[in-house]
């Protein structure tokens, strides 16, 4: 019922020329994809990526958006700027933004609202640190992060957002949540949405797993009923690997 969505998060990798190169390699490999495919490129790459993506079904994503429309916010980009440049999706609240750039649940919520108001689809990242999992806080934490992030959106708007469950201890570490752990925690997120907004909303929201997803583990993860796709870091930087993840066979 929910179309899977596989999104690459290139992080701070590749300039415009390399971005175009990678997209040109990727295009033929994912032509037949059943999943929605998104590449979230560095902001400087957006025009080159947009050009390279012409004629392809791959969607263009950014890695952050500011919550104001314009003004004295040096270094930031607004939703309307991204939209004008051809961006359709935007990652919000990635754990690296939370860890290194002081993002909080409240600023994540502001960014989510600005993205939705500006016609972008947010990919909202939530997830626990290792010590939080060990202390037994995972479920409460991801439910809280999710509900705060969605505050102020209408039910119709919530149906269109994408949540990425990314255990912080699994990002870029080669460690992956087990299929069951990922499925269970994503189930907790869906249940939190159901309890507040009802089943018609929670059944529609796509919830990805992220954290060292790669061609070897994608099949098991994607076989889980709660998992609707992946947010992929390292494995999105090589066309062949990313294409294997996209096809998850
Ligand atoms: C990410 O950056 O969102 C991510 C999941 O990275 P990796 O796949 O490298 O763990």
């Amino acid at each position: 019922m929910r179309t899977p969505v596989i999104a690459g998060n290139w992080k701070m990798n590749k300039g415009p020329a390399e971005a175009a190169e990678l997209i040109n390699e990727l295009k033929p490999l994912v032509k037949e994809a059943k999943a929605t495919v998104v590449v979230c490129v560095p902001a400087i790459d957006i025009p080159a990526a947009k050009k390279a993506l012409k004629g392809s079904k791959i969607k263009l994503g950014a890695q952050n958006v500011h919550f104001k429309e314009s003004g004295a916010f040096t270094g930031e980009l607004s939703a309307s700027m991204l939209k004008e440049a051809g961006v359709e999706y935007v990652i919000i609240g990635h754990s690296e933004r939370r860890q290194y750039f002081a993002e909080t649940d409240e600023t994540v919520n502001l960014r989510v609202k600005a993205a939705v108001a500006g016609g972008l689809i947010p990919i909202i990242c939530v997830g626990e640190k290792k010590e939080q999992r060990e202390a037994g806080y995972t479920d409460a934490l991801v439910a809280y992060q999710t509900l705060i992030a969605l505050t102020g959106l209408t039910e119709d708007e919530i149906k269109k957002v994408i949540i990425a469950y990314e255990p912080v201890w699994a990002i870029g570490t080669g460690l992956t949540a087990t299929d069951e752990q990922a499925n269970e925690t994503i189930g907790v997120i869906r249940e939190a949405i159901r309890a507040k907004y009802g089943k018609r909303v929670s059944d529609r929201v796509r919830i990805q797993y992220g954290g060292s997803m790669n061609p070897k583990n994608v099949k098991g993860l994607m076989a889980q009923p709660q998992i609707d796709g992946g947010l992929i870091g390292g494995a999105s930087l090589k066309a062949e690997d990313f294409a294997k993840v996209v096809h998850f066979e």
Side-chain angles (χ1 to χ4, degrees):
M1 184 172 78
R2 297 182 292 265
T3 307
V5 53
I6 305 285
N9 173 15
W10 291 8
K11 312 195 184 192
M12 195 173 73
N13 292 293
K14 302 193 179 290
E18 279 185 314
E21 213 173 289
L22 177 52
I23 287 168
N24 285 326
E25 272 179 64
L26 187 62
K27 280 197 296 190
L29 303 180
V30 300
K31 215 170 52 215
E32 312 292 341
K34 293 191 186 74
T36 306
V37 183
V38 187
V39 286
C40 298
V41 305
I44 192 77
D45 297 349
I46 288 170
K50 173 78 185 153
K51 196 167 161 214
L53 287 171
K54 210 164 172 223
S56 137
K57 284 193 303 189
I58 304 171
K59 307 290 187 187
L60 183 56
Q63 298 175 12
N64 196 16
V65 60
H66 195 256
F67 36 88
K68 294 286 188 186
E69 185 51 32
S70 63
F73 301 101
T74 303
E76 295 286 324
L77 296 171
S78 71
S80 63
M81 290 171 182
L82 293 171
K83 185 83 182 165
E84 184 182 336
V87 168
E88 291 180 77
Y89 292 75
V90 60
I91 298 172
I92 297 178
H94 191 279
S95 66
E96 287 150 17
R97 301 276 337 156
R98 294 177 190 258
Q99 187 179 348
Y100 305 128
F101 302 98
E103 293 273 350
T104 64
D105 292 324
E106 288 70 28
T107 58
V108 167
N109 174 240
L110 292 174
R111 289 176 203 267
V112 169
K113 285 191 287 194
V116 170
L120 301 174
I121 298 177
I123 300 175
I124 305 165
C125 302
V126 300
E128 81 289 0
K129 297 181 186 145
K130 185 165 172 277
E131 58 275 19
Q132 292 167 328
R133 176 164 282 270
E134 284 167 357
Y137 298 153
T138 300
D139 293 1
L141 184 88
V142 296
Y144 176 81
Q145 286 178 327
T146 302
L147 294 179
I148 294 270
L150 298 177
T151 302
L153 299 190
T154 66
E155 291 182 359
D156 281 340
E157 287 168 341
I158 294 173
K159 285 180 192 164
K160 292 182 204 137
V161 309
I162 297 168
I163 312 279
Y165 165 56
E166 299 210 302
V168 179
W169 48 270
I171 297 179
T173 58
L175 299 173
T176 325
T178 63
D179 301 345
E180 293 72 26
Q181 273 173 334
N183 189 60
E184 192 186 316
T185 307
I186 289 177
V188 168
I189 294 169
R190 200 177 304 284
E191 172 54 24
I193 298 172
R194 190 208 57 77
K196 186 150 172 76
Y197 298 101
K199 190 165 162 21
R200 274 201 302 194
V201 176
S202 64
D203 277 352
R204 290 280 293 279
V205 177
R206 290 184 288 177
I207 312 181
Q208 302 172 310
Y209 168 77
S212 302
M213 200 188 233
N214 60 44
K216 288 206 180 83
N217 58 30
V218 66
K219 195 173 170 189
L221 287 160
M222 287 302 293
Q224 297 294 320
Q226 293 289 348
I227 303 182
D228 303 321
L231 182 57
I232 324 296
S236 70
L237 293 171
K238 287 204 185 114
E240 263 185 37
D241 286 353
F242 188 58
K244 283 184 188 151
V245 174
V246 163
H247 294 289
F248 56 89
E249 281 133 17

